[in-house]
Amino acid sequence: KAGVTQTPRYLIKTRGQQVTLSCSPISGHRSVSWYQQTPGQGLQFLFEYFSETQRNKGNFPGRFSGRQFSNSRSEMNVSTLELGDSALYLCASSPGQINSPLHFGNGTRLTVT
Amino acid sequence: ELKVEQNPLFLSMQEGKNYTIYCNYSTTSDRLYWYRQDPGKSLESLFVLLSNGAVKQEGRLMASLDTKARLSTLHITAAVHDLSATYFCAVDVSQGAQKLVFGQGTRLTINP
């Protein structure tokens, strides 16, 4: 069974630009979550989607948004990039049932210059 | 605001020794997860602990959960070099809706 796939793996953007990251969950998984990982703040929850509906949102500014498509694939968008947005963005999928562990992808490393 | 605190944050140990990583959290939850992350890699699920008193074991790793004390432990028995990694605990704060709050991580180095 294929794992969680994130594209692209690496991205370099300039301040003020916007970026879209993509995540394909494990087949059959209906929940997709996004996390930001930085050396200073660690792993922080961004948002979670289940069957195209956002169920939870973390404490990030509105520049961070996401969506989920009917095939459970998800995208995350960051507008007006800031230097502090440089991070590893991890996507995770699960069947969406209580007690299911998250299965993480390899992440997208975003560098903002 | 929920806080999840791990200690120690850094641990260097010799092969063959035993040690424990502690994970304290500040709010009620009966779902706790342990993950492993190798350098440059993603997170790998190790254990899902779902109730007070839960104990799970896999190889040289054993995890337990005490919801009353809001404490989970990850015990390493007779450590081997391959267990060198960063270990994270995470607490579900959404009653199963997949929102996890992670600890800072414990970077474990096991020396031959």
Side-chain angles (χ1 to χ4, degrees):
Chain A
K1 209 175 197 183
V4 178
T5 304
Q6 291 187 247
T7 56
R9 288 295 310 277
Y10 302 93
L11 210 45
I12 300 175
K13 290 286 187 178
T14 305
R15 269 183 306 175
Q17 287 186 315
Q18 75 160 18
V19 68
T20 299
L21 312 182
S22 181
C23 173
S24 294
I26 292 172
S27 177
H29 285 191
R30 296 166 65 190
S31 169
V32 174
S33 309
W34 290 88
Y35 288 81
Q36 181 196 64
Q37 185 174 28
T38 60
Q41 299 299 316
L43 280 150
Q44 293 186 285
F45 174 81
L46 282 154
F47 27 66
E48 186 257 356
Y49 289 86
F50 181 82
S51 293
E52 302 180 68
T53 299
Q54 185 182 89
R55 292 197 298 186
N56 277 292
K57 190 175 189 308
N59 296 324
F60 279 81
R63 300 185 295 106
F64 291 81
S65 63
R67 59 178 177 168
Q68 186 180 34
F69 302 95
S70 58
N71 62 358
S72 293
R73 192 176 70 82
S74 177
E75 287 182 348
M76 189 190 99
N77 185 274
V78 188
S79 63
T80 320
L81 284 165
E82 300 177 0
L83 295 178
D85 297 333
S86 295
L88 179 66
Y89 290 89
L90 291 164
C91 167
S93 76
S94 84
Q97 299 149 355
I98 288 178
N99 309 331
S100 313
L102 301 184
H103 299 266
F104 283 84
N106 288 326
T108 294
R109 172 77 60 185
L110 172 65
T111 302
V112 182
T113 63
Chain B
E1 182 184 326
L2 170 68
K3 290 192 176 183
V4 181
E5 295 185 339
Q6 290 181 232
N7 84 82
L9 298 184
F10 299 92
L11 178 56
S12 180
M13 53 194 290
Q14 296 287 327
E15 278 192 328
K17 300 289 188 185
N18 304 332
Y19 211 82
T20 301
I21 298 170
Y22 297 89
C23 173
N24 289 91
Y25 54 99
S26 62
T27 196
T28 303
S29 176
D30 56 3
R31 270 180 289 276
L32 190 137
Y33 303 82
W34 283 95
Y35 287 88
R36 167 183 173 149
Q37 187 176 37
D38 292 295
K41 300 287 182 67
S42 190
L43 281 82
E44 173 191 354
S45 176
L46 293 174
F47 299 109
V48 180
L49 301 169
L50 300 175
S51 60
N52 188 42
V55 177
K56 295 275 185 78
Q57 182 162 7
E58 180 74 33
R60 301 174 187 275
L61 300 178
M62 183 173 71
S64 65
L65 178 62
D66 181 342
T67 58
K68 293 178 183 175
R70 297 179 185 173
L71 170 69
S72 180
T73 60
L74 180 66
H75 186 74
I76 302 145
T77 302
V80 293
H81 179 69
D82 286 353
L83 291 179
S84 296
T86 299
Y87 292 85
F88 292 93
C89 64
V91 175
D92 185 330
V93 297
S94 57
Q95 299 181 327
Q98 313 291 296
K99 178 178 179 179
L100 302 186
V101 176
F102 281 81
Q104 313 97 306
T106 296
R107 185 176 295 178
L108 174 63
T109 303
I110 299 169
N111 304 302

